[in-house]
Amino acid sequence: MESVFSTSIGKGVGEAADWLERGFCVGIPTETVYGLAANALDPSAVVQIFSIKNRPTFDPLIVHVAGMEAVDNYVESFPSPLRRLAEHFWPGPLTLLLPKKTIIPDLVTSGLDRVAIRVPNHALALQLLDRLSFPLAAPSANPFGYISPTRPDHVLQQLGGKVPYILDGGPCVVGLESTIVGMEGNQVTVYRLGGLSVEAIEAVVGLVQIQLNQSSNPAAPGMLKSHYAPRKPLLLGDVPALIAAHPNKRIGVVSYRGVQGIDVVKEFVLSQSGDLVEAAQRLFLALRELDNSEVDLLVAEYLPEVGLGRAINDRLRRAAVQTVK
Ligand code: TXA
Ligand code: MG
């Protein structure tokens, strides 16, 4: 079902709650990226998320709750390392995979035994969740496979007409999706790099294992190789060399601190001062802006492979899985 709405955008938590209570989807802010939210306990609301996003139903959704206290309603158990992480980092850019209770519809988890849960660190999102009697299933508010939205106008551009309301919470301060963590046996495991660094997680629970790109597991496309991608081809590596190799292309560059001596149509510098937090905040904006500008080809350099730099490089790699014609 895909209804046609005249989408309004505003700061009305009550208005957003109203639409959600009536079974509609709403664009919501979080600290990571904007979400496309619906009542997680109502399959007929959740199914609209998949149709609006054009998302396959084998890709499960994250369930957002107002706080730790709510989690026990939805999960059978809460392994202690994961509980410690929740105590440290919620509200925040951390999603935990926990054994689900049957109250969570199978559609939300794509039939998997675990449900992905997080408490977002955004005042409006928390006010909204506090007010509702149900949790919110919300994937990033972009068409499946495209760059995630980090500003309300991105949501309007992509989902305008498809949702009745977008809750405007300003630009996202983290800018990368949450880090997804669960247990494999006794081992704390990171399944998706994101807005909470592996170093921060390891400071609380010790060494973790990282298990990305589960190509054996089609139930997790966000972890698949090609995702978060602009429409235009993106090449990664040494920027001057890549520019030299494509003399007839109009090129847009995404650089970390700026590249000296290049002549391109457009360069988007992620953080002049070399701050990975600022770079993460601006990455999706950069890709989106260059994708929408008059260039044929996007070229980007890797960032340092530490802290949020690892998650940024992960997103760049997934965005770059395309060939240049
Ligand atoms: O920061 C975020 O996580 C944002 C905001 C809106 O909260 N949400 C987000 O959702 O990035 P989405 O749907 O774009 O990515 C969620 C990822 C997907 O790759 C999905 O496969 C994985 O989480 N996931 C969700 N539930 C899962 C489950 N039960 N088991 C394994 N993976 C799961
Ligand atoms: Mg997504």
Side-chain angles (χ1 to χ4, degrees):
M1 187 201 81
E2 207 163 307
S3 313
V4 178
F5 298 98
S6 100
T7 304
S8 46
I9 183 160
K11 298 182 190 300
V13 171
E15 196 168 339
D18 209 47
W19 285 110
L20 290 162
E21 278 160 357
R22 290 163 55 202
F24 292 96
C25 296
V26 164
I28 63 160
T30 82
E31 81 283 28
T32 58
V33 300
Y34 272 74
L36 174 62
N39 178 351
L41 305 183
D42 176 1
S44 65
V46 171
V47 77
Q48 295 170 53
I49 293 177
F50 291 96
S51 85
I52 291 172
K53 269 193 68 122
N54 210 0
R55 175 175 172 127
T57 50
F58 59 72
D59 188 7
L61 305 175
I62 295 176
V63 172
H64 298 71
V65 297
M68 280 284 270
E69 318 70 49
V71 175
D72 290 336
N73 300 327
Y74 309 117
V75 309
E76 293 287 356
S77 64
F78 204 151
S80 62
L82 301 186
R83 189 180 285 275
R84 283 210 302 285
L85 288 174
E87 283 162 359
H88 260 84
F89 298 115
W90 279 352
L94 168 71
T95 292
L96 296 174
L97 296 184
L98 298 166
K100 84 174 191 78
K101 283 190 173 160
T102 50
I103 186 173
I104 298 289
D106 286 335
L107 183 60
V108 170
T109 59
S110 304
L112 298 171
D113 298 336
R114 292 187 295 186
V115 57
I117 297 202
R118 84 177 190 103
V119 181
N121 188 16
H122 189 290
L124 287 188
L126 289 171
Q127 280 170 37
L128 178 63
L129 287 165
D130 257 338
R131 186 175 178 128
L132 295 168
S133 59
F134 47 81
L136 291 174
S140 49
N142 49 286
F144 186 66
Y146 194 66
I147 305 162
S148 299
T150 52
R151 302 188 173 216
D153 54 298
H154 299 168
V155 184
L156 189 63
Q157 278 154 25
Q158 293 186 313
L159 300 183
K162 298 186 173 180
V163 293
Y165 197 69
I166 298 167
L167 185 59
D168 179 356
C172 300
V173 299
V174 173
L176 293 176
E177 298 85 352
S178 58
T179 304
I180 302 180
V181 181
M183 304 296 292
E184 292 288 322
N186 290 327
Q187 181 71 55
V188 177
T189 304
V190 171
Y191 300 96
R192 178 175 74 179
L193 299 171
L196 180 66
S197 71
V198 171
E199 290 89 333
I201 292 169
E202 289 186 331
V204 176
V205 291
L207 285 185
V208 301
Q209 73 177 352
I210 300 182
Q211 219 177 83
L212 313 176
N213 274 345
Q214 298 186 313
S215 44
S216 62
N217 173 11
M223 302 159 193
L224 286 183
K225 274 186 109 180
S226 175
H227 216 73
Y228 314 106
R231 290 178 302 269
K232 291 177 184 163
L234 166 67
L235 299 178
L236 297 178
D238 181 63
V239 169
L242 288 169
I243 293 171
H246 296 89
N248 301 319
K249 301 273 187 201
R250 293 173 301 172
I251 295 178
V253 169
V254 181
S255 67
Y256 180 30
R257 309 186 58 172
V259 180
Q260 298 295 313
I262 53 170
D263 178 20
V264 291
V265 175
K266 196 167 166 131
E267 181 182 7
F268 196 114
V269 178
L270 292 175
S271 173
Q272 229 132 32
S273 65
D275 174 1
L276 289 170
V277 172
E278 182 185 26
Q281 240 171 42
R282 287 159 52 79
L283 175 70
F284 289 150
L285 178 67
L287 291 174
R288 190 178 281 269
E289 246 182 44
L290 292 180
D291 203 23
N292 290 332
S293 66
E294 298 283 303
V295 301
D296 311 309
L297 179 62
L298 276 51
V299 164
E301 61 182 357
Y302 287 109
L303 276 67
E305 187 70 20
V306 293
L308 293 183
R310 292 170 77 171
I312 295 171
N313 289 338
D314 169 85
R315 297 301 186 274
L316 284 172
R317 277 187 210 101
R318 290 169 205 263
V321 181
Q322 280 187 60
T323 48
V324 188
K325 284 182 215 88

